[in-house]
């Protein structure tokens, strides 16, 4: 096992997921990529709101970039140099596509620290990835 993908969203990465990921990367001498997918918004149905939605998308992009950089710094303190990647699109579809195209050996998904409302949406992403990915998925809850 040489390549591990860790998709993250705007939620905090749990300590448990961080520890397990550190252990796996170090024991397997694997590379780690931290991925954030900014959901793509369909602006075509409301052209008058395009500027407002662009600002919102830009804010999500900046926030997502900060999240992945902060998480990468956390890994760096443990001696792990993680690459960061930011994509736009449907989160589950992009996780599946990217993990397969880049030939990852494992996807680790964090499902902790989620309230019940967000669990529905995050659970949907996790569920879709688990059931449609050709790459093994480790779910940490």
């Amino acid at each position: 096992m040489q390549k591990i993908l860790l998709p993250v969203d705007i939620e905090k990465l749990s300590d448990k997921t961080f520890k397990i990921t550190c252990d796996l990367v170090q024991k397997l001498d694997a590379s780690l990529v931290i991925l954030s997918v900014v959901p793509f918004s369909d602006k075509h149905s409301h052209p008058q709101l395009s500027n407002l939605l662009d600002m919102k998308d830009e804010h999500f992009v900046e926030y997502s970039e900060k999240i992945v950089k902060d998480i990468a710094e956390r890994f760096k303190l443990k001696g792990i140099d993680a690459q960061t990647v930011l994509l736009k699109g449907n989160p589950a579809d992009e996780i599946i596509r990217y993990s397969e195209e880049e030939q990852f050996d494992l996807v680790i998904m964090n499902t902790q620290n989620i309230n019940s409302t967000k669990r529905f949406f995050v659970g949907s992403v996790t569920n879709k990835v688990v059931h449609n990915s050709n790459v093994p998925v480790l779910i940490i809850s």
Side-chain angles (χ1 to χ4, degrees):
M1 187 167 303
Q2 296 179 352
K3 292 175 70 175
I4 296 175
L5 180 64
L6 178 64
V8 296
D9 60 10
I10 61 172
E11 296 295 327
K12 180 182 173 188
L13 181 67
S14 76
D15 290 338
K16 183 178 179 182
T17 301
F18 176 75
K19 183 180 179 334
I20 290 171
T21 303
C22 282
D23 289 347
L24 283 172
V25 168
Q26 291 171 334
K27 287 178 183 175
L28 300 171
D29 195 28
S31 63
L32 176 65
V33 175
I34 302 165
L35 170 68
S36 182
V37 181
V38 178
F40 178 77
S41 61
D42 184 9
K43 300 173 207 153
H44 302 295
S45 60
H46 302 288
Q48 298 85 351
L49 299 178
S50 182
N51 289 339
L52 178 61
L53 291 173
D54 280 339
M55 289 184 344
K56 185 178 178 184
D57 285 350
E58 183 178 304
H59 174 72
F60 282 134
V61 168
E62 290 172 6
Y63 188 70
S64 294
E65 286 173 343
K66 181 181 179 337
I67 297 268
V68 295
K69 286 179 183 175
D70 289 349
I71 293 171
E73 279 299 315
R74 193 172 167 197
F75 279 103
K76 190 171 188 164
L77 292 173
K78 293 290 187 179
I80 297 170
D81 288 322
Q83 177 186 353
T84 61
V85 174
L86 187 66
L87 301 174
K88 278 188 171 183
N90 175 286
D93 292 342
E94 289 301 311
I95 292 167
I96 293 166
R97 180 193 62 74
Y98 185 75
S99 66
E100 292 177 1
E101 283 181 6
E102 297 298 320
Q103 300 178 342
F104 280 88
D105 299 300
L106 180 67
V107 176
I108 299 176
M109 299 192 74
N110 175 56
T111 61
Q112 287 189 337
N113 299 327
I114 304 169
N115 68 36
S116 60
T117 304
K118 291 180 183 174
R119 184 177 304 277
F120 172 76
F121 295 106
V122 174
S124 298
V125 171
T126 303
N127 188 44
K128 186 171 182 181
V129 172
V130 166
H131 288 96
N132 294 289
S133 178
N134 291 320
V135 177
V137 180
L138 172 63
I139 301 169
I140 303 172
S141 61

